[in-house]
Amino acid sequence: MNPLYLIVPFAPLVGAILAGFFGKQIGRTGAHTVTIAGVAISLIASIMVFMDVMEGNTFNGTLYEWAAVGTLVFEVGFLIDTLTATMMLVVTSVSLMVHIYTIGYMEEDDGYQRFFSYISLFTFSMLMLVMSNNFLQLFFGWEAVGLVSYLLIGFWYKKQSAIYANLKAFLVNRVGDFGFILGIGLVMAATGSMNYAEVFAQADSLVGQTMPGTDWPLLAVACICLFIGAMGKSAQFPLHVWLPDSMEGPTPISALIHAATMVTAGIFMVSRMSPLFELSNIALNFVLVIGSITALFMGFLGIIQNDIKRVVAYSTLSQLGYMTVALGVSAYPVAIFHLMTHAFFKALLFLGAGSVIIGMHHNQDIRHMGGLWKYMPITWITSLLGSLALIGTPFFSGFYSKDSIIEAVHFSNLPAADFAYFAVVAGVFITAFYSFRMYFLVFHGKERFHDIQHHDDHGDDDHHAHHGPVQPHESRWVVTLPLILLAIPSVIIGYIAVEPMLHGTFFEGVITINPEHGAMAGLSSIFHGAAAMGVHSLQTAPFWLALAGVVAAAVCYLWVPAIPAAFMKALKPVHTLLDNKYYMDKFNEVVFAGGARGLGEALWKFGDRMLIDGLLVNGSAKLVGLISGVVRFAQSGFIYHYAFAMILGVLAMIITFITLK
């Protein structure tokens, strides 16, 4: 085994331990030095592993056997192939940028060392997830990233909104994880193994099997249960509700966890499970419908948001929907491709939003910004590049992955493909509109921040204290450098990677696609090179829809600002619906939270107080007391009383026997 495989996950873990347990001893500088060094070492090792894999060297082996129950083995092991190597590069590179950025963003925060420990621990957890070769280790990484996410969302633990947000994230993800562990259990029961290779080798034998006592296809149920886990972790409808609220955590977290890495764990998992999902059209249609709903309807919510981070958060939800749609049409390489491009430009947009928040002295309302391009030139340019990548501008990275998803859906023959195609095409206009609405309101137009007085009570990201009128300023180099470094792949990585990842042999032998699912084959049949794809797109509907979205945003928020107000007045019910997020939170609060509380109260009042305490405990005590009170009269101490009782007993026996005869 290559020792680099161990260095990749464990270097960030060492940094996390040093910053977490010895933070006071090593100080702020020591904390960020050890964690950044750990992630940098991990990135260098990941690059070396990637180059090794590209030469044809892969690995699938056990590191440690934890336990064995009969033929079932619980182990820790690594699977190193092109899919793993790609994820390792994405996780470590984005994580390194976030670590550097954090020096500037959290410089005045009391929890500086703790924060660096958490984000480094998260990097370790995510790497263990993507490098796993078995379901046990996958589940460990799955739960570990969830735990660290909980700690980071509620990082400012004295803030009520942060406490509510991390509890919400925790509970919603437990719902998904319940489905996930059921799926793992079904696969384990059916195959007798938790090792990927052994499970995939038996995949064909699972076709035709049904759930015991039902006619439900076993494979479809197992795949849907696994995907429910992905719905929680990758924030798919209806388990998406936690992600917008998670913006309560510091901005670097939004970039690391909720844009680039953790939320993509579900996409990675389904791609890894492609040999199973390919055998169930029921599961694929389910995935496709859920992804389509998320891609379309979460985009609508981005239009009315005024918090800069929440706009980007709803954009993340929509783009995760696009990735899920790609999974549903069996275009797994396209899903991973979009995961990679999205990681860079979405991390860029989140960190750009954080830079704006710093420059605006922690004001997050885009209605109170405007004209910032003059004050924050680096943030302005990099945010523009990120926005252009997000909307799928030709030759930018997001274009190659988004357009490939749209074309893949077009070639799909699944029943749900028509609805999915409408969703992803309509989503192009919506994405362009809300992205450039934010861009224009923040960086262009009238300067609306001069009259704002800033006090101690700030927005979601408050951990500083400023007074007096806001005077925007460009951020420090530790903030702007990651923006520049993330902007480069946001522009070029799509052009470079589209051909080998989608139309070459990059995922050969790693991802399974059955011949009857022809989306990838159809996609390859119309591909004639990255440059030709960009040129051809100028004649297609997605390009003109994206352009229309940008123009519409400019008209509404730069040239004729009265239009949005008129629309809001005319479409008041629609705005109310969107403002209340389709009443999903209200539904969850009333039905699930309220139902759980009601059930708990009923169990307490009737189950505990009346049944257990009242009937069983107190009732049995009273019954014993009653019986003893009666028996006491018979226990007189006189022999003739006992003799009389014996005679009565004998008579009763004789009468009973005579009667029975």
Side-chain angles (χ1 to χ4, degrees):
M1 184 186 73
N2 192 331
L4 290 172
Y5 300 158
L6 291 172
I7 292 172
V8 172
F10 289 108
L13 179 62
V14 171
I17 292 170
L18 291 173
F21 289 105
F22 306 100
K24 289 184 179 178
Q25 287 81 357
I26 63 178
R28 289 172 168 248
T29 304
H32 73 234
T33 301
V34 295
T35 51
I36 290 173
V39 176
I41 292 168
S42 182
L43 173 59
I44 294 166
S46 296
I47 293 169
M48 295 170 71
V49 168
F50 182 82
M51 293 169 66
D52 189 52
V53 169
M54 294 310 294
E55 291 176 4
N57 299 312
T58 59
F59 176 80
N60 183 13
T62 302
L63 298 180
Y64 174 72
E65 187 176 305
W66 181 45
V69 182
T71 58
L72 185 64
V73 179
F74 300 95
E75 60 190 9
V76 176
F78 287 161
L79 171 58
I80 309 297
D81 54 21
T82 49
L83 178 58
T84 305
T86 303
M87 292 298 296
M88 285 159 60
L89 280 179
V90 170
V91 172
T92 52
S93 57
V94 173
S95 179
L96 181 60
M97 296 300 102
V98 170
H99 274 71
I100 297 169
Y101 178 94
T102 300
I103 297 173
Y105 195 87
M106 301 293 287
E107 62 181 338
E108 297 177 31
D109 198 280
D110 295 334
Y112 190 85
Q113 294 98 313
R114 178 165 59 94
F115 189 83
F116 271 99
S117 176
Y118 286 172
I119 58 176
S120 207
L121 181 62
F122 171 82
T123 308
F124 159 75
S125 304
M126 190 68 195
L127 288 167
M128 288 296 285
L129 188 158
V130 301
M131 295 173 72
S132 63
N133 75 340
N134 62 87
F135 284 102
L136 177 69
Q137 189 176 326
L138 174 71
F139 191 72
F140 163 77
W142 196 267
E143 294 304 311
V145 294
L147 170 65
V148 184
S149 173
Y150 171 83
L151 295 173
L152 285 165
I153 295 169
F155 182 78
W156 292 313
Y157 52 84
K158 294 182 180 179
K159 198 174 157 193
Q160 286 300 316
S161 55
I163 296 168
Y164 176 81
N166 73 348
L167 182 62
K168 187 176 181 179
F170 182 83
L171 291 174
V172 172
N173 272 278
R174 295 295 70 73
V175 175
D177 291 353
F178 181 68
F180 189 52
I181 201 166
L182 283 178
I184 292 174
L186 284 171
V187 170
M188 185 179 72
T191 62
S193 176
M194 298 187 78
N195 186 279
Y196 294 161
E198 294 175 7
V199 169
F200 297 159
Q202 300 181 57
D204 289 336
S205 66
L206 301 179
V207 179
Q209 292 191 33
T210 58
M211 294 284 292
T214 71
D215 56 354
W216 296 355
L218 174 68
L219 204 55
V221 175
C223 288
I224 288 172
C225 285
L226 289 172
F227 180 68
I228 289 171
M231 286 166 61
K233 200 67 71 187
S234 293
Q236 297 296 293
F237 177 90
L239 301 182
H240 67 279
V241 293
W242 67 271
L243 187 70
D245 291 83
S246 69
M247 298 301 108
E248 291 291 337
T251 299
I253 296 315
S254 305
L256 180 62
I257 292 182
H258 308 125
T261 51
M262 189 188 86
V263 290
T264 59
I267 310 300
F268 163 79
M269 184 273 294
V270 175
S271 299
R272 179 62 81 194
M273 299 297 128
S274 60
L276 300 179
F277 279 82
E278 280 300 281
L279 298 172
S280 175
N281 279 356
I282 297 171
L284 288 175
N285 274 292
F286 181 78
V287 172
L288 189 54
V289 169
I290 294 295
S292 305
I293 293 170
T294 308
L296 181 62
F297 290 97
M298 295 305 107
F300 285 129
L301 296 180
I303 296 173
I304 64 152
Q305 300 301 315
N306 295 314
D307 184 301
I308 189 169
K309 284 172 64 178
R310 287 182 182 263
V311 177
V312 188
Y314 280 107
S315 165
T316 300
L317 284 173
S318 181
Q319 297 308 305
L320 287 167
Y322 272 84
M323 298 176 210
T324 305
V325 165
L327 297 173
V329 298
S330 299
Y332 308 99
V334 185
I336 297 299
F337 184 43
H338 193 50
L339 183 159
M340 179 184 72
T341 61
H342 175 265
F344 293 115
F345 65 71
K346 189 54 60 70
L348 171 61
L349 286 170
F350 265 120
L351 296 185
S355 180
V356 169
I357 293 167
I358 295 171
M360 290 294 296
H361 304 287
H362 292 265
N363 172 43
Q364 295 184 205
D365 195 329
I366 59 177
R367 295 169 297 183
H368 299 155
M369 299 179 188
L372 295 187
W373 70 273
K374 291 180 286 189
Y375 305 94
M376 309 179 71
I378 298 174
T379 305
W380 163 53
I381 291 292
T382 52
S383 296
L384 175 60
L385 294 173
S387 299
L388 289 170
L390 170 62
I391 71 170
T393 307
F395 301 103
F396 282 71
S397 63
F399 156 74
Y400 289 101
S401 52
K402 272 184 82 172
D403 264 42
S404 296
I405 292 173
I406 294 169
E407 289 298 331
V409 176
H410 178 69
F411 285 111
S412 176
N413 54 9
L414 290 177
D418 290 337
F419 169 63
Y421 187 71
F422 167 76
V424 293
V425 171
V428 172
F429 174 83
I430 297 163
T431 303
F433 182 79
Y434 68 66
S435 299
F436 274 82
R437 169 183 177 264
M438 181 183 74
Y439 171 77
F440 290 138
L441 285 175
V442 173
F443 294 106
H444 295 279
K446 181 184 174 185
E447 297 179 1
R448 298 177 296 275
F449 49 80
H450 292 298
D451 299 328
I452 301 174
Q453 296 289 322
H454 219 67
H455 304 288
D456 290 338
D457 184 17
H458 306 285
D460 291 345
D461 261 335
D462 176 40
H463 49 283
H464 304 264
H466 300 276
H467 301 269
V470 171
Q471 184 57 44
H473 59 86
E474 185 61 277
S475 304
R476 292 172 56 197
W477 71 268
V478 288
V479 172
T480 56
L481 178 63
L483 296 180
I484 296 167
L485 294 176
L486 285 168
I488 296 168
S490 298
V491 176
I492 67 170
I493 193 74
Y495 187 93
I496 297 168
V498 62
E499 188 164 352
M501 286 187 76
L502 303 192
H503 309 291
T505 57
F506 189 81
F507 289 120
E508 190 175 329
V510 177
I511 287 173
T512 301
I513 302 174
N514 288 355
E516 62 266 26
H517 300 139
M520 287 304 300
L523 202 60
S524 295
S525 68
I526 62 170
F527 182 78
H528 304 291
M533 183 177 174
V535 173
H536 174 70
S537 71
L538 301 176
Q539 310 167 30
T540 60
F543 168 75
W544 292 104
L545 283 169
L547 183 61
V550 174
V551 172
V555 170
C556 290
Y557 298 99
L558 288 182
W559 304 327
V560 194
I563 292 177
F567 266 103
M568 193 170 85
K569 188 176 179 181
L571 303 171
K572 185 71 174 174
V574 177
H575 183 273
T576 304
L577 179 67
L578 296 177
D579 195 38
N580 287 280
K581 296 173 281 190
Y582 306 116
Y583 293 97
M584 289 291 299
D585 284 337
K586 183 62 70 177
F587 178 82
N588 289 335
E589 286 173 16
V590 173
V591 176
F592 292 113
R597 286 195 301 270
L599 179 63
E601 189 172 351
L603 290 172
W604 163 60
K605 283 185 177 179
F606 298 102
D608 187 29
R609 200 165 66 178
M610 291 180 64
L611 185 63
I612 297 172
D613 284 348
L615 184 62
L616 294 180
V617 178
N618 298 333
S620 58
K622 288 178 180 177
L623 181 63
V624 169
L626 182 66
I627 294 171
S628 63
V630 174
V631 171
R632 187 176 65 221
F633 293 107
Q635 298 289 338
S636 63
F638 296 110
I639 292 177
Y640 59 85
H641 284 169
Y642 301 149
F644 182 67
M646 288 173 66
I647 293 167
L648 288 176
V650 170
L651 284 172
M653 283 178 64
I654 293 169
I655 292 166
T656 302
F657 278 114
I658 292 170
T659 306
L660 288 173
K661 280 185 177 183

